[in-house]
Amino acid sequence: MSAWQYKAVFELLEVCQDARSLSEFKVRLVESLGEMFGYANTTFLQGATYADIFDDAKAVTQGRTTAILEEYHERWRDKDIFRLPASAKALVGGSVLSHTQIGRIPDSTKSYLSEFLYRHKLHSVSAMHLNLPNNGHALVGIFDSADMEPDETDLHVLRLVARQLTCIARTMPSDEQRVWLDRLTTRQQQIAALVAEGRTNDELALELGFTLDTAKKHVSRIFSRVGVRNRAEFVREYHAHTIVRP
């Protein structure tokens, strides 16, 4: 590790240690990765489980990732390269992983790289896994052009940082629990309002231009995020909140 990397590590950890809440910690971390390590395009996604990370509609972003977050949730989160079982195993066990370290990538997941990230001129992607309070999980994504990809030394530094950040994050006061509506994407909020009005899956598909299968998947994801089993439970939960249709 070089002298400037030592300096950057200590400065980043000091900045994050001074955060007063998990929300502040997330913002400080992504900003510090840019300021101290030169990682200009970053994301911070969190979830109650590892699988939930990819549904985080309130991710903290920086750089070019901000403009593509909505597209990610609409089209690509199910194909995220770090959603692969092999990626999850490596990340939870070793904290940091580059897309170049993943073995065989299914064709369906390759499109996440070729048709999404590369199209947005993001040719390198690495992820850092953190453990959060209440056994939560987070992934910090680091994106850049091909010539800016972290090398082995950089990844080693990030692993050291990740272990220390996990220690810090676990002691952070948990943020006040958000209303479930805030966990939904803009499109999911639209669908939730229609379901609460009594639309069937067939009607959703017709009104929103989906296939029936896509409509069913959207509704299933919404029910999962809200924590209900069926439409009746969902409608009760929906109307228990003062919700204005988006």
Side-chain angles (χ1 to χ4, degrees), residues 33-53:
L33 285 170
E35 293 171 5
M36 298 162 192
F37 286 90
Y39 298 133
N41 308 299
T42 52
T43 58
F44 190 114
L45 288 80
Q46 70 179 90
T49 67
Y50 185 90
D52 288 337
I53 288 172

Side-chain angles (χ1 to χ4, degrees), residues 16-223:
C16 293
Q17 179 73 60
D18 289 340
R20 292 167 294 181
S21 68
L22 187 58
S23 289
E24 185 178 349
F25 170 84
K26 295 188 290 186
V27 173
R28 284 176 176 242
L29 176 54
V30 297
E31 289 179 348
S32 296
L33 285 170
E35 293 171 5
M36 298 162 192
F37 286 90
Y39 298 133
N41 308 299
T42 52
T43 58
F44 190 114
L45 288 80
Q46 70 179 90
T49 67
Y50 185 90
D52 288 337
I53 288 172
F54 307 94
D55 295 327
D56 186 0
K58 299 294 182 180
V60 176
T61 60
Q62 180 168 264
R64 299 204 301 276
T65 60
T66 301
I68 65 174
L69 182 62
E70 185 170 354
E71 181 187 349
Y72 170 81
H73 280 295
E74 289 289 338
R75 295 185 56 194
W76 301 105
R77 61 180 173 178
D78 288 340
K79 298 178 181 179
D80 194 311
I81 196 167
F82 297 118
R83 197 163 197 151
L84 295 171
S87 299
K89 181 178 180 180
L91 279 163
V92 174
S95 297
V96 175
L97 185 69
S98 167
H99 78 279
T100 59
Q101 297 176 313
I102 301 172
R104 183 182 177 278
I105 301 175
D107 290 340
S108 59
T109 302
K110 287 179 181 178
S111 63
Y112 168 76
L113 296 172
S114 61
E115 298 177 25
F116 177 52
L117 293 184
Y118 296 171
R119 177 163 53 85
H120 290 288
K121 303 187 187 306
L122 297 170
H123 291 268
S124 138
V125 55
S126 302
M128 176 166 56
H129 175 267
L130 305 179
N131 294 312
L132 301 180
N134 302 316
N135 298 314
H137 296 259
L139 279 185
V140 181
I142 300 172
F143 306 82
D144 224 315
S145 55
D147 58 338
M148 295 293 290
E149 181 179 345
D151 60 22
E152 283 299 323
T153 299
D154 296 327
L155 294 175
H156 174 68
V157 171
L158 288 173
R159 289 187 187 98
L160 295 176
V161 169
R163 285 196 286 271
Q164 295 304 313
L165 287 173
T166 282
C167 293
I168 294 171
R170 279 175 164 170
T171 66
M172 286 287 150
S174 298
D175 301 313
E176 184 175 287
Q177 187 174 16
R178 296 181 302 194
V179 175
W180 59 260
L181 181 68
D182 293 333
R183 303 192 192 113
L184 304 182
T185 66
T186 300
R187 175 52 66 88
Q188 286 176 331
Q189 290 182 32
Q190 178 189 18
I191 296 169
L194 293 173
V195 172
E197 291 176 0
R199 301 293 203 286
T200 65
N201 288 337
D202 286 322
E203 290 170 335
L204 289 173
L206 181 63
E207 184 167 342
L208 299 175
F210 295 155
T211 64
L212 179 58
D213 185 58
T214 297
K216 290 178 179 177
K217 287 180 179 178
H218 275 296
V219 171
S220 177
R221 282 175 178 154
I222 291 170
F223 286 2

